[in-house]
Amino acid sequence: MVRKKVEGNEEQRRSAARAAERAGERPSERGATTGGSKQRTHLPHRSSLTHEEKTEPLDRGKQRREAREQADARAAERPAPPAGRTFTGRGRPDYGSDHARVFQALGDAERRHGGEAVHATEVARTAGFPDERTRVLLHDLVSVHRLVTELQGTDRPDLGPRYETKPGR
């Protein structure tokens, strides 16, 4: 007779069983043995169960549990957004004179660099705006008005994003 295939390899099951023994539990209680993974729980006759009760045992598998734990760990490790500049809640700002001034400054800075993309600080100097204000306006030109392209990771070491006007604009 062929043995039923179970999740994980032998080393994983043995180490889980040893960990259960050290914790004072039986390995089968944790589902760490081959027998434990074949029959997860005792189920009454299926006709007397609700839909949720029928699908509940399916979520108890080792790989789904580990995937859920890893997702929870990644969510806990995710850093909070940095304080300061945020673009959420701004809506879709209309194209105004400040946008036109930054767009013109970007074109001038590109011409000075032979058509190459330029950093936001140079656009800010050319436009006469503070760096933070220029970054907000460049973000609008990239994501809302779609007149500018943001290039990231173009330098070694990375010196931040570069911006260029879209071709044909």
Side-chain angles (χ1 to χ4, degrees):
M1 183 154 69
V2 178
R3 186 171 129 159
K4 185 173 181 180
K5 179 140 176 82
V6 294
E7 296 175 336
N9 62 25
E10 288 295 321
E11 291 177 23
Q12 287 176 324
R13 284 192 295 277
R14 285 187 196 118
S15 66
R18 282 191 295 270
E21 290 287 342
R22 274 181 265 157
E25 298 176 351
R26 293 177 44 199
S28 59
E29 291 174 357
R30 285 193 177 184
T33 62
T34 56
S37 61
K38 289 179 190 173
Q39 179 69 37
R40 293 189 178 99
T41 59
H42 174 73
L43 297 175
H45 193 266
R46 289 185 61 84
S47 63
S48 64
L49 298 176
T50 65
H51 176 71
E52 289 78 22
E53 291 170 334
K54 288 178 185 176
T55 58
E56 179 187 345
L58 301 176
D59 293 333
R60 292 190 200 158
K62 172 182 169 185
Q63 299 192 338
R64 288 193 180 152
R65 181 178 61 239
E66 287 178 354
R68 192 178 325 110
E69 290 169 358
Q70 289 173 356
D72 292 344
R74 279 194 302 270
E77 292 173 1
R78 191 170 295 134
R85 182 178 74 218
T86 178
F87 299 111
T88 57
R90 293 183 61 237
R92 296 181 53 85
D94 292 331
Y95 189 86
S97 60
D98 289 350
H99 290 97
R101 188 167 158 188
V102 168
F103 188 70
Q104 180 65 42
L106 175 61
D108 294 344
E110 275 185 326
R111 279 189 285 284
R112 281 197 307 272
H113 285 273
E116 294 291 319
V118 294
H119 292 283
T121 54
E122 184 163 351
V123 177
R125 276 195 308 268
T126 305
F129 284 134
D131 285 352
E132 197 60 33
R133 176 74 179 140
T134 303
R135 289 182 200 284
V136 170
L137 293 168
L138 282 169
H139 176 269
D140 292 345
L141 291 171
V142 168
S143 62
V144 176
H145 306 295
R146 303 197 188 288
L147 296 172
V148 175
T149 303
E150 180 180 353
L151 307 173
Q152 294 185 356
T154 57
D155 302 319
R156 296 287 180 243
D158 189 17
L159 302 174
R162 290 179 180 235
Y163 297 90
E164 66 181 3
T165 57
K166 286 195 172 182
R169 302 273 179 186

